[in-house]
Amino acid sequence: MKNVFKLFTCLAVIGLAFTSCSTDDSKEGAGFSVKLVDAPGDYEKVLVDVQAIEVILDGEAHELPVAEPGVYDLLELTGGVSAMLVETVLPAGKMSQMRLILGEENSVVANGDTLELKTPSAQQSGLKLNVHQELQSGILYNFILDFNVAKSVVEAPGEGLILKPVLRAALEAQSGAISGVVTPAEVESLVTAKQDSLEISAHTAPDTGAFLLYGVPAGTYQVTVTPDSTSGFSPVIIEDVVVQKGTIKDLGSVSLE
């Protein structure tokens, strides 16, 4: 299947994206970008055909073609990797909704088998997110679109696998991030930040053990590092991790035992 990824490793440059900044004064309107990340799921691949982002601004729909339209493997968008979908300028105004519009080439790979992933409503009108944000001219708004695969792919009796998306949109300038490195790096681990009912997760990068949790609202979190169940290592729990708006909380090196 055609792979049209344009992937970005953000560990080195994420600090620049976490501040709201002025756009070129010669351009009218608000800078607007959307990048896609993923909360992990129990599949080998989750392939989603992303075609466009639609924004409802002052009651008017603005359809924004994705820079690299096509099939994205959501499970590759973890460990500090994201896919930039849209970078553009929008008129100033009140944004009320964002929609992720999908094509027809959606599937999952489990146990080596490729299974169709049905998305009837998404193909017709888009996956809807209510986002209430005033866009001001001269300001850059960077949105993180977090796709929770584990909760989004469900099996319906007699219908097979259906995409019932659980999406979360976070504005980077109004949120923070949590980073770190898990050792030994060769042990794949799941890192989860939890605050009440909110959970934000990412896998560690396979070569470095690095992780980066995007779009984390300001607050205090419990972070759990869960190594692969066959590794023989135990989970590590880090209490009282404080995240501030517009900053990256670096946990440094987290050693498995």
Side-chain angles (χ1 to χ4, degrees), residues 44-74:
E44 294 166 27
K45 295 183 179 181
V46 177
L47 303 168
V48 176
D49 186 3
V50 182
Q51 293 297 315
I53 297 286
E54 185 178 84
V55 173
I56 307 300
L57 190 62
D58 290 336
E60 181 180 351
H62 297 257
E63 185 167 318
L64 311 173
V66 170
E68 297 279 354
V71 177
Y72 289 73
D73 184 355
L74 296 178

mmCIF file of all heavy atoms in Angstrom, residues 44-74:
data_model
loop_
_atom_site.group_PDB
_atom_site.id
_atom_site.type_symbol
_atom_site.label_atom_id
_atom_site.label_comp_id
_atom_site.label_asym_id
_atom_site.label_seq_id
_atom_site.Cartn_x
_atom_site.Cartn_y
_atom_site.Cartn_z
ATOM 1 N N GLU A 44 -0.930 -4.470 14.646
ATOM 2 C CA GLU A 44 0.360 -4.310 13.997
ATOM 3 C C GLU A 44 0.415 -3.005 13.202
ATOM 4 O O GLU A 44 1.420 -2.316 13.169
ATOM 5 C CB GLU A 44 0.635 -5.501 13.085
ATOM 6 C CG GLU A 44 0.803 -6.803 13.858
ATOM 7 C CD GLU A 44 0.735 -8.015 12.947
ATOM 8 O OE1 GLU A 44 1.075 -7.890 11.742
ATOM 9 O OE2 GLU A 44 0.327 -9.088 13.420
ATOM 10 N N LYS A 45 -0.710 -2.678 12.543
ATOM 11 C CA LYS A 45 -0.835 -1.422 11.810
ATOM 12 C C LYS A 45 -2.288 -0.957 11.884
ATOM 13 O O LYS A 45 -3.207 -1.782 11.901
ATOM 14 C CB LYS A 45 -0.437 -1.587 10.334
ATOM 15 C CG LYS A 45 1.016 -1.926 10.090
ATOM 16 C CD LYS A 45 1.312 -1.994 8.591
ATOM 17 C CE LYS A 45 2.778 -2.319 8.344
ATOM 18 N NZ LYS A 45 3.086 -2.365 6.883
ATOM 19 N N VAL A 46 -2.470 0.343 11.915
ATOM 20 C CA VAL A 46 -3.799 0.939 11.747
ATOM 21 C C VAL A 46 -3.651 1.984 10.649
ATOM 22 O O VAL A 46 -3.028 3.028 10.843
ATOM 23 C CB VAL A 46 -4.328 1.574 13.043
ATOM 24 C CG1 VAL A 46 -5.667 2.249 12.793
ATOM 25 C CG2 VAL A 46 -4.481 0.514 14.132
ATOM 26 N N LEU A 47 -4.183 1.679 9.477
ATOM 27 C CA LEU A 47 -3.964 2.475 8.269
ATOM 28 C C LEU A 47 -5.201 3.314 7.978
ATOM 29 O O LEU A 47 -6.282 2.774 7.697
ATOM 30 C CB LEU A 47 -3.648 1.552 7.094
ATOM 31 C CG LEU A 47 -2.436 0.630 7.318
ATOM 32 C CD1 LEU A 47 -2.362 -0.450 6.250
ATOM 33 C CD2 LEU A 47 -1.151 1.423 7.369
ATOM 34 N N VAL A 48 -5.040 4.628 8.048
ATOM 35 C CA VAL A 48 -6.167 5.551 7.885
ATOM 36 C C VAL A 48 -5.875 6.487 6.723
ATOM 37 O O VAL A 48 -4.801 7.087 6.641
ATOM 38 C CB VAL A 48 -6.407 6.353 9.181
ATOM 39 C CG1 VAL A 48 -7.515 7.370 8.988
ATOM 40 C CG2 VAL A 48 -6.772 5.406 10.320
ATOM 41 N N ASP A 49 -6.838 6.610 5.834
ATOM 42 C CA ASP A 49 -6.716 7.413 4.613
ATOM 43 C C ASP A 49 -7.155 8.851 4.900
ATOM 44 O O ASP A 49 -8.348 9.167 4.887
ATOM 45 C CB ASP A 49 -7.596 6.775 3.529
ATOM 46 C CG ASP A 49 -7.444 7.436 2.167
ATOM 47 O OD1 ASP A 49 -6.618 8.353 2.048
ATOM 48 O OD2 ASP A 49 -8.161 7.022 1.235
ATOM 49 N N VAL A 50 -6.188 9.729 5.165
ATOM 50 C CA VAL A 50 -6.474 11.113 5.542
ATOM 51 C C VAL A 50 -6.419 11.995 4.300
ATOM 52 O O VAL A 50 -5.405 12.021 3.592
ATOM 53 C CB VAL A 50 -5.473 11.616 6.595
ATOM 54 C CG1 VAL A 50 -5.811 13.045 7.012
ATOM 55 C CG2 VAL A 50 -5.475 10.692 7.820
ATOM 56 N N GLN A 51 -7.512 12.741 4.035
ATOM 57 C CA GLN A 51 -7.606 13.550 2.824
ATOM 58 C C GLN A 51 -7.642 15.048 3.088
ATOM 59 O O GLN A 51 -7.085 15.829 2.315
ATOM 60 C CB GLN A 51 -8.864 13.141 2.035
ATOM 61 C CG GLN A 51 -8.798 11.733 1.468
ATOM 62 C CD GLN A 51 -7.694 11.564 0.459
ATOM 63 O OE1 GLN A 51 -7.499 12.402 -0.424
ATOM 64 N NE2 GLN A 51 -6.938 10.465 0.573
ATOM 65 N N ALA A 52 -8.310 15.477 4.149
ATOM 66 C CA ALA A 52 -8.469 16.918 4.355
ATOM 67 C C ALA A 52 -8.844 17.213 5.804
ATOM 68 O O ALA A 52 -9.267 16.326 6.556
ATOM 69 C CB ALA A 52 -9.544 17.486 3.421
ATOM 70 N N ILE A 53 -8.641 18.460 6.180
ATOM 71 C CA ILE A 53 -9.136 19.003 7.444
ATOM 72 C C ILE A 53 -10.163 20.080 7.097
ATOM 73 O O ILE A 53 -9.889 20.948 6.254
ATOM 74 C CB ILE A 53 -8.006 19.638 8.275
ATOM 75 C CG1 ILE A 53 -6.952 18.597 8.667
ATOM 76 C CG2 ILE A 53 -8.569 20.342 9.506
ATOM 77 C CD1 ILE A 53 -7.384 17.644 9.758
ATOM 78 N N GLU A 54 -11.308 20.015 7.721
ATOM 79 C CA GLU A 54 -12.311 21.070 7.534
ATOM 80 C C GLU A 54 -12.473 21.836 8.842
ATOM 81 O O GLU A 54 -12.595 21.237 9.908
ATOM 82 C CB GLU A 54 -13.660 20.491 7.115
ATOM 83 C CG GLU A 54 -14.700 21.540 6.789
ATOM 84 C CD GLU A 54 -16.005 20.949 6.324
ATOM 85 O OE1 GLU A 54 -16.827 20.582 7.192
ATOM 86 O OE2 GLU A 54 -16.218 20.851 5.104
ATOM 87 N N VAL A 55 -12.440 23.149 8.740
ATOM 88 C CA VAL A 55 -12.576 24.022 9.904
ATOM 89 C C VAL A 55 -13.844 24.852 9.742
ATOM 90 O O VAL A 55 -14.081 25.429 8.665
ATOM 91 C CB VAL A 55 -11.343 24.946 10.035
ATOM 92 C CG1 VAL A 55 -11.553 25.973 11.133
ATOM 93 C CG2 VAL A 55 -10.094 24.119 10.320
ATOM 94 N N ILE A 56 -14.658 24.897 10.789
ATOM 95 C CA ILE A 56 -15.838 25.753 10.799
ATOM 96 C C ILE A 56 -15.455 27.051 11.499
ATOM 97 O O ILE A 56 -15.163 27.059 12.696
ATOM 98 C CB ILE A 56 -17.025 25.090 11.506
ATOM 99 C CG1 ILE A 56 -17.303 23.709 10.908
ATOM 100 C CG2 ILE A 56 -18.265 25.989 11.411
ATOM 101 C CD1 ILE A 56 -17.641 23.714 9.437
ATOM 102 N N LEU A 57 -15.437 28.139 10.741
ATOM 103 C CA LEU A 57 -14.975 29.435 11.240
ATOM 104 C C LEU A 57 -16.067 30.469 10.989
ATOM 105 O O LEU A 57 -16.434 30.724 9.836
ATOM 106 C CB LEU A 57 -13.683 29.815 10.522
ATOM 107 C CG LEU A 57 -12.888 31.001 11.026
ATOM 108 C CD1 LEU A 57 -12.411 30.781 12.453
ATOM 109 C CD2 LEU A 57 -11.689 31.256 10.117
ATOM 110 N N ASP A 58 -16.588 31.036 12.073
ATOM 111 C CA ASP A 58 -17.716 31.988 11.988
ATOM 112 C C ASP A 58 -18.866 31.393 11.187
ATOM 113 O O ASP A 58 -19.520 32.076 10.373
ATOM 114 C CB ASP A 58 -17.262 33.309 11.362
ATOM 115 C CG ASP A 58 -16.352 34.113 12.276
ATOM 116 O OD1 ASP A 58 -16.436 33.911 13.503
ATOM 117 O OD2 ASP A 58 -15.573 34.924 11.777
ATOM 118 N N GLY A 59 -19.118 30.095 11.415
ATOM 119 C CA GLY A 59 -20.227 29.410 10.760
ATOM 120 C C GLY A 59 -19.952 28.990 9.332
ATOM 121 O O GLY A 59 -20.794 28.342 8.703
ATOM 122 N N GLU A 60 -18.783 29.296 8.801
ATOM 123 C CA GLU A 60 -18.449 28.966 7.415
ATOM 124 C C GLU A 60 -17.405 27.863 7.378
ATOM 125 O O GLU A 60 -16.437 27.871 8.143
ATOM 126 C CB GLU A 60 -17.918 30.203 6.699
ATOM 127 C CG GLU A 60 -17.559 29.968 5.233
ATOM 128 C CD GLU A 60 -17.025 31.227 4.559
ATOM 129 O OE1 GLU A 60 -17.094 32.305 5.180
ATOM 130 O OE2 GLU A 60 -16.528 31.115 3.415
ATOM 131 N N ALA A 61 -17.605 26.901 6.469
ATOM 132 C CA ALA A 61 -16.689 25.772 6.356
ATOM 133 C C ALA A 61 -15.506 26.121 5.468
ATOM 134 O O ALA A 61 -15.670 26.666 4.372
ATOM 135 C CB ALA A 61 -17.417 24.559 5.790
ATOM 136 N N HIS A 62 -14.295 25.808 5.963
ATOM 137 C CA HIS A 62 -13.064 25.981 5.190
ATOM 138 C C HIS A 62 -12.415 24.604 5.059
ATOM 139 O O HIS A 62 -11.931 24.053 6.057
ATOM 140 C CB HIS A 62 -12.105 26.936 5.896
ATOM 141 C CG HIS A 62 -12.628 28.328 6.059
ATOM 142 N ND1 HIS A 62 -12.226 29.370 5.263
ATOM 143 C CD2 HIS A 62 -13.541 28.834 6.924
ATOM 144 C CE1 HIS A 62 -12.852 30.479 5.636
ATOM 145 N NE2 HIS A 62 -13.654 30.182 6.644
ATOM 146 N N GLU A 63 -12.398 24.038 3.853
ATOM 147 C CA GLU A 63 -11.774 22.732 3.651
ATOM 148 C C GLU A 63 -10.315 22.925 3.274
ATOM 149 O O GLU A 63 -9.989 23.607 2.304
ATOM 150 C CB GLU A 63 -12.494 21.928 2.575
ATOM 151 C CG GLU A 63 -11.926 20.515 2.436
ATOM 152 C CD GLU A 63 -12.800 19.592 1.620
ATOM 153 O OE1 GLU A 63 -14.033 19.637 1.796
ATOM 154 O OE2 GLU A 63 -12.238 18.833 0.799
ATOM 155 N N LEU A 64 -9.426 22.305 4.045
ATOM 156 C CA LEU A 64 -7.987 22.468 3.884
ATOM 157 C C LEU A 64 -7.385 21.134 3.450
ATOM 158 O O LEU A 64 -7.348 20.182 4.236
ATOM 159 C CB LEU A 64 -7.361 22.918 5.211
ATOM 160 C CG LEU A 64 -8.044 24.101 5.905
ATOM 161 C CD1 LEU A 64 -7.427 24.327 7.277
ATOM 162 C CD2 LEU A 64 -7.951 25.363 5.055
ATOM 163 N N PRO A 65 -6.930 21.011 2.215
ATOM 164 C CA PRO A 65 -6.322 19.750 1.776
ATOM 165 C C PRO A 65 -5.088 19.419 2.614
ATOM 166 O O PRO A 65 -4.310 20.296 2.970
ATOM 167 C CB PRO A 65 -5.939 20.032 0.314
ATOM 168 C CG PRO A 65 -6.764 21.208 -0.087
ATOM 169 C CD PRO A 65 -6.939 22.026 1.157
ATOM 170 N N VAL A 66 -4.916 18.156 2.913
ATOM 171 C CA VAL A 66 -3.739 17.695 3.638
ATOM 172 C C VAL A 66 -2.519 17.819 2.731
ATOM 173 O O VAL A 66 -2.586 17.537 1.527
ATOM 174 C CB VAL A 66 -3.944 16.241 4.108
ATOM 175 C CG1 VAL A 66 -2.667 15.648 4.657
ATOM 176 C CG2 VAL A 66 -5.047 16.184 5.154
ATOM 177 N N ALA A 67 -1.401 18.244 3.292
ATOM 178 C CA ALA A 67 -0.188 18.438 2.501
ATOM 179 C C ALA A 67 0.242 17.152 1.799
ATOM 180 O O ALA A 67 0.694 17.183 0.653
ATOM 181 C CB ALA A 67 0.934 18.954 3.397
ATOM 182 N N GLU A 68 0.109 16.032 2.477
ATOM 183 C CA GLU A 68 0.464 14.725 1.906
ATOM 184 C C GLU A 68 -0.739 13.809 2.065
ATOM 185 O O GLU A 68 -0.784 12.954 2.948
ATOM 186 C CB GLU A 68 1.687 14.131 2.617
ATOM 187 C CG GLU A 68 2.954 14.940 2.481
ATOM 188 C CD GLU A 68 3.657 14.700 1.150
ATOM 189 O OE1 GLU A 68 3.210 13.821 0.396
ATOM 190 O OE2 GLU A 68 4.651 15.388 0.886
ATOM 191 N N PRO A 69 -1.786 13.949 1.218
ATOM 192 C CA PRO A 69 -2.980 13.107 1.377
ATOM 193 C C PRO A 69 -2.666 11.645 1.088
ATOM 194 O O PRO A 69 -1.860 11.324 0.219
ATOM 195 C CB PRO A 69 -3.952 13.688 0.340
ATOM 196 C CG PRO A 69 -3.074 14.328 -0.681
ATOM 197 C CD PRO A 69 -1.887 14.855 0.065
ATOM 198 N N GLY A 70 -3.310 10.761 1.831
ATOM 199 C CA GLY A 70 -3.099 9.339 1.608
ATOM 200 C C GLY A 70 -3.147 8.560 2.902
ATOM 201 O O GLY A 70 -3.710 9.014 3.898
ATOM 202 N N VAL A 71 -2.542 7.382 2.891
ATOM 203 C CA VAL A 71 -2.667 6.430 3.993
ATOM 204 C C VAL A 71 -1.572 6.657 5.025
ATOM 205 O O VAL A 71 -0.385 6.642 4.708
ATOM 206 C CB VAL A 71 -2.612 4.988 3.458
ATOM 207 C CG1 VAL A 71 -2.679 3.995 4.618
ATOM 208 C CG2 VAL A 71 -3.770 4.744 2.495
ATOM 209 N N TYR A 72 -1.981 6.851 6.271
ATOM 210 C CA TYR A 72 -1.074 7.036 7.402
ATOM 211 C C TYR A 72 -1.204 5.832 8.343
ATOM 212 O O TYR A 72 -2.320 5.452 8.714
ATOM 213 C CB TYR A 72 -1.425 8.304 8.185
ATOM 214 C CG TYR A 72 -1.102 9.595 7.475
ATOM 215 C CD1 TYR A 72 -1.864 10.030 6.396
ATOM 216 C CD2 TYR A 72 -0.037 10.381 7.879
ATOM 217 C CE1 TYR A 72 -1.568 11.215 5.734
ATOM 218 C CE2 TYR A 72 0.264 11.574 7.227
ATOM 219 C CZ TYR A 72 -0.502 11.974 6.158
ATOM 220 O OH TYR A 72 -0.201 13.150 5.515
ATOM 221 N N ASP A 73 -0.091 5.261 8.735
ATOM 222 C CA ASP A 73 -0.101 4.224 9.764
ATOM 223 C C ASP A 73 -0.035 4.926 11.111
ATOM 224 O O ASP A 73 1.018 5.418 11.523
ATOM 225 C CB ASP A 73 1.086 3.274 9.590
ATOM 226 C CG ASP A 73 1.059 2.121 10.597
ATOM 227 O OD1 ASP A 73 0.178 2.124 11.481
ATOM 228 O OD2 ASP A 73 1.932 1.246 10.502
ATOM 229 N N LEU A 74 -1.155 4.961 11.804
ATOM 230 C CA LEU A 74 -1.223 5.702 13.056
ATOM 231 C C LEU A 74 -0.241 5.177 14.095
ATOM 232 O O LEU A 74 0.241 5.933 14.936
ATOM 233 C CB LEU A 74 -2.655 5.640 13.624
ATOM 234 C CG LEU A 74 -3.739 6.313 12.780
ATOM 235 C CD1 LEU A 74 -5.102 6.116 13.448
ATOM 236 C CD2 LEU A 74 -3.451 7.792 12.583
#
